[in-house]
Amino acid sequence: MQGGIQQWQPRTEERVQSDQIRHRPQSVAGALLVAAVLPEPLAWAWWGLCCTGMRVGEFWSDWEQGDGWIRVPGAVPGGSRTIPLMSEVRRPECSAVEFLEGLRRASDGELRPEDARRTFGSWMQLAGIPAERRRRYIGFGAEGRISEADLAADRGRLERLLRVALALD
């Protein structure tokens, strides 16, 4: 997987200003701006949350990563949910508490982990993923697995969105 946090070079090391995040980071550039002002382990955690839509408890749990997907166990009643993987996601190298405190400090309390979840939802919508699959990827849709073909197609849509956003920056 190409793109994402490794390709993007921050333009500033300053704190995230409230006028830059007032509407919550729902663009790739907004999410990368937040990552740019966080220390590396926290930045990777933020990026992982943005790219997967996982809740904090899910991200700091035992999820499984395959070629182009992440499976979150127990994320939906009676099973797990599979999420298309659009960029490199690393397991957290900091505690959830360290992440939450760092995010709060970097944004003067304006950002919450739920904003990363909303960001992922927004990216899926911009990428053209159908509403029912978006709900399933977030964990609110009907039970049942998403086909490998749909998962691959949605991964391609998300990767394309990321490539275009990085090219425009």
Side-chain angles (χ1 to χ4, degrees), residues 26-156:
Q26 294 190 5
S27 69
V28 172
L32 288 168
L33 175 63
V34 172
V37 299
L38 292 170
E40 187 169 321
L42 307 181
W44 278 105
W46 169 258
W47 185 248
L49 290 170
C50 287
C51 289
T52 63
M54 282 192 245
R55 297 172 183 90
V56 169
E58 294 170 338
F59 194 68
W60 271 266
S61 72
D62 190 26
W63 42 270
E64 175 187 359
Q65 185 170 342
D67 185 26
W69 54 265
I70 285 182
R71 185 164 297 123
V72 184
V76 293
S80 61
R81 76 174 192 269
T82 304
I83 304 164
L85 191 55
M86 64 188 279
S87 176
E88 179 180 358
V89 173
R90 297 180 182 177
R91 294 198 178 276
E93 296 177 4
C94 59
S95 72
V97 171
E98 289 171 322
F99 171 74
L100 294 170
E101 289 174 357
L103 185 62
R104 181 185 50 76
R105 276 193 310 274
S107 69
D108 287 331
E110 300 243 354
L111 281 175
R112 301 167 312 199
E114 295 82 17
D115 298 323
R117 190 168 162 80
R118 287 185 191 102
T119 296
F120 181 62
S122 175
W123 292 353
M124 289 191 294
Q125 186 174 8
L126 287 171
I129 296 173
E132 176 56 33
R133 289 205 302 271
R134 290 195 314 260
R135 284 190 293 276
R136 284 183 173 187
Y137 292 141
I138 288 291
F140 292 126
E143 290 186 34
R145 294 218 180 252
I146 295 171
S147 74
E148 287 187 32
D150 284 343
L151 190 64
D154 294 342
R155 175 186 174 198

